[in-house]
Amino acid sequence: RKGNRLLKTEAIMKNILFGIFLTFSCSLMSCGSYDDEYIEVNQFPKYSWTAAADSASTTFVNRYWNTSVGCFNNTFDGQIAQNDYWPEAHGLDVVVDAYLRTHDEKYKKVIWDFYDGVKNKNGGKWRHDFYDDMGWHAMAHLRAYYATNDDRFLKSSHDLWTWITEGWNDYDGGGIQWKVGTDAESMGKGIPSNGPAAIIAARFAQKYPDETINGFTNLQWSLRIYEWMKYHRTVLSTGRIFENYDTTNGDYSYDVGTFMGAAIELYNITKEKVYFNDAVKVARYHIANNVNTAYKVMRDYGEQTGDGGGHDCNLFKGIFVRYFTILIQHPDLSDGDRMRFVAFLKNNASYLWTLGTEKPDIKMSPTWWQMPKGDTSWGDLRSAISGTTTIEAMALLEKNGFVD
C-alpha cells in the first residue's frame, strides 16, 4: 500500500512540475501580462472544496479540541501547552468558519465551551501581557458573537479592545507596543500588535461609531494605528510589508494579512480609494515575492515542525488567507486582480491538500508542498489551524461562485 501511495505521489508531482513548466514557458514567451502569471493548467485533481472542508474541520475538532478541558491541544497526539494563548483565538476562528458554513450544532457547542475553557486556562481572565495576542482574541471573539449572538463574546471582545488601547505610546513614532512593560523589548513595535488592533478598532467603529475610548473614537484609533503601520513598516513604492527593513526573513504573511484587512475595513467605512489601493498593492507584492519560487506557494521564514509542537510561523499563512479571501470577494476588486488572486490561492490550497496533508488522518504540514521527512512527531495545532483556515476559505469561495 505504501508503494502504491508513493507511485501516486510521484505521478502527481510529475503533473505538477509539468504544469509549472508550462506556466514558466508561457511567461518566457510573453503569453500574458504580470496579472496573468498564474495560469490554470489543471495539474491537480478537481476537488470539491466543500467536501474537503467537511473533512478538514471535522478532523480538526476531533483531533485538537479537548472536550474535558475546553481548549485546543497543542500537538497531534493530544498534549496541551498551558502558555499557548494566541493560537486558541485562531482555533476559534476556524470553528466559527465551519459553523457559519454548516450551521452544525457540534461547532456551536465548541464555541460555547471555548469561552470558559480558554478563559480558565488563562487564569480566569482574558487580559494578557501581550497586546498582539489580545488583538487576535478580540477579533475572534467578535466573530463568535456575530455567529452565535452569545453576548459573552461581545463583552470580552470589547474589553480586550479597550485594554489594547493602553498599549499606544509615542516610542518609535507611535503604535501599539508588543507587550506590557517599559523595557525596550516590551515597547518594540510591529505589525503583529498593530494590524489586529486596527481591524478590531474599525469593526467596533461600525458597531459603536460614537464611542470614545481613551480620548479617541474607534475610527480615529483605527486610522492612527493604520497610519503608523503604513509609514513605519511599509515600503510605499512596492507594497512590501516588513518587520526589519534590512532582511526579508521578517516579511511574514500574517503581517501582510492584517495590514490588508485593516485597509479593507477602512475603505469600507470611509470609501476613500487610497485604502483599497493599499490592500491590493500589498497583496500583489506578497504573492509575487514571499513564495517558494518553484511552486509559487507561500512560505514564512522559520516554519518547522518543532518536535510536535510546531513554530509560531506555521500559523502565519492561514492568517493571510483569511483577509486575502475578503479581498477576493470585494465587489470593487478588478476582474484581472480577482482572477490572479483566486488562481494563486487555489494553487496554494491544492498543494496543501494534495501534497501537504497526510490522509486519512488529515495531518497538515507547515510546508504546503511537502510533508516533513524523517520526523514522526509533527502535525501541530498551528499548522492545522493555518491549513484548515485555507480549506475553509476555498469552500467559501466555491459556495459564493469564485471557484469552480
Side-chain angles (χ1 to χ4, degrees):
R1 185 182 304 172
K2 183 176 180 181
N4 290 337
R5 187 163 61 242
L6 180 59
L7 288 172
K8 182 179 180 182
T9 300
E10 288 176 346
I12 291 172
M13 277 302 299
K14 287 179 180 177
N15 287 335
I16 291 170
L17 290 173
F18 179 65
I20 292 168
F21 171 75
L22 286 178
T23 302
F24 180 67
S25 299
C26 196
S27 66
L28 288 178
M29 297 166 61
S30 300
C31 293
S33 68
Y34 174 79
D35 288 337
D36 296 325
E37 181 177 347
Y38 295 95
I39 299 170
E40 294 283 357
V41 290
N42 300 318
Q43 66 262 41
F44 295 103
K46 182 174 175 55
Y47 293 118
S48 163
W49 293 108
T50 299
D54 283 337
S55 180
S57 291
T58 297
T59 303
F60 175 75
V61 168
N62 291 345
R63 172 65 65 172
Y64 293 97
W65 180 247
N66 191 310
T67 56
S68 62
V69 181
C71 69
F72 289 100
N73 297 327
N74 194 50
T75 65
F76 196 74
D77 59 3
Q79 299 176 37
I80 296 176
Q82 287 301 126
N83 63 340
D84 252 6
Y85 178 75
W86 84 283
E88 299 277 6
H90 298 285
L92 175 61
D93 264 328
V94 169
V95 179
V96 170
D97 292 340
Y99 177 65
L100 290 173
R101 180 176 55 83
T102 66
H103 302 290
D104 192 320
E105 288 296 316
K106 71 182 178 185
Y107 296 121
K108 190 174 183 179
K109 185 177 189 319
V110 172
I111 297 169
W112 176 269
D113 292 343
F114 176 99
Y115 188 90
D116 286 330
V118 177
K119 184 178 180 181
N120 290 337
K121 180 186 174 185
N122 193 49
K125 63 186 186 305
W126 288 115
R127 189 159 190 156
H128 201 268
D129 285 344
F130 290 85
Y131 289 108
D132 56 340
D133 293 358
M134 288 196 290
W136 303 123
H137 273 275
M139 291 193 295
H141 290 209
L142 190 59
R143 290 190 71 229
Y145 162 70
Y146 282 124
T148 65
N149 293 315
D150 185 339
D151 288 333
R152 297 177 303 168
F153 284 107
L154 177 60
K155 183 181 187 310
S156 59
S157 181
H158 193 266
D159 287 346
L160 285 158
W161 161 230
T162 302
W163 298 327
I164 290 167
T165 64
E166 298 170 6
W168 177 280
N169 56 62
D170 293 332
Y171 177 77
D172 195 13
I176 304 293
Q177 65 185 61
W178 180 40
K179 64 177 181 177
V180 175
T182 56
D183 59 286
E185 181 185 47
S186 297
M187 293 183 68
K189 306 290 179 62
I191 300 290
S193 55
N194 285 275
I199 293 171
I200 195 64
R203 290 179 177 174
F204 273 121
Q206 294 170 77
K207 187 169 182 62
Y208 305 126
D210 299 323
E211 178 182 53
T212 298
I213 299 176
N214 288 329
F216 298 92
T217 66
N218 290 315
L219 179 57
Q220 288 172 333
W221 271 115
S222 186
L223 288 167
R224 70 202 302 244
I225 295 168
Y226 182 84
E227 292 299 303
W228 182 86
M229 292 191 293
K230 181 171 180 176
Y231 293 107
H232 290 79
R233 293 296 184 272
T234 307
V235 179
L236 300 179
S237 61
T238 64
R240 177 192 170 202
I241 301 288
F242 62 88
E243 287 299 326
N244 183 342
Y245 182 82
D246 295 326
T247 176
T248 58
N249 287 347
D251 292 6
Y252 291 122
S253 55
Y254 77 150
D255 289 342
V256 182
T258 55
F259 180 89
M260 182 170 55
I264 296 168
E265 294 289 343
L266 287 172
Y267 173 65
N268 290 340
I269 295 171
T270 68
K271 304 306 178 185
E272 293 183 21
K273 195 69 174 181
V274 61
Y275 298 113
F276 194 76
N277 292 343
D278 286 349
V280 172
K281 178 178 278 190
V282 299
R284 287 174 176 170
Y285 180 90
H286 179 67
I287 70 172
N289 293 276
N290 301 330
V291 295
N292 172 280
T293 55
Y295 308 115
K296 297 296 184 183
V297 173
M298 287 185 289
R299 85 289 180 275
D300 283 294
Y301 180 78
E303 291 174 344
Q304 55 191 282
T305 57
D307 297 323
H311 193 280
D312 277 351
C313 295
N314 298 357
L315 207 161
F316 294 172
K317 294 190 293 293
I319 297 171
F320 169 82
V321 168
R322 179 168 302 285
Y323 299 100
F324 194 51
T325 304
I326 294 172
L327 180 59
I328 285 171
Q329 298 178 96
H330 201 286
D332 292 345
L333 186 67
S334 70
D335 290 341
D337 278 318
R338 181 173 290 109
M339 182 173 64
R340 185 169 184 264
F341 291 173
V342 168
F344 175 81
L345 184 55
K346 185 177 179 181
N347 180 66
N348 274 255
S350 296
Y351 268 104
L352 165 66
W353 196 240
T354 307
L355 298 175
T357 302
E358 185 178 82
K359 302 180 183 75
D361 291 333
I362 315 300
K363 192 177 183 183
M364 292 178 168
S365 170
T367 306
W368 287 357
W369 61 87
Q370 65 181 17
M371 286 178 273
K373 296 181 174 63
D375 186 349
T376 58
S377 59
W378 63 280
D380 60 283
L381 174 64
R382 290 159 174 78
S383 296
I385 291 171
S386 185
T388 308
T389 298
T390 301
I391 301 304
E392 281 286 355
M394 290 299 295
L396 178 63
L397 293 176
E398 182 179 68
K399 174 185 176 182
N400 291 340
F402 294 97
V403 175
D404 293 332

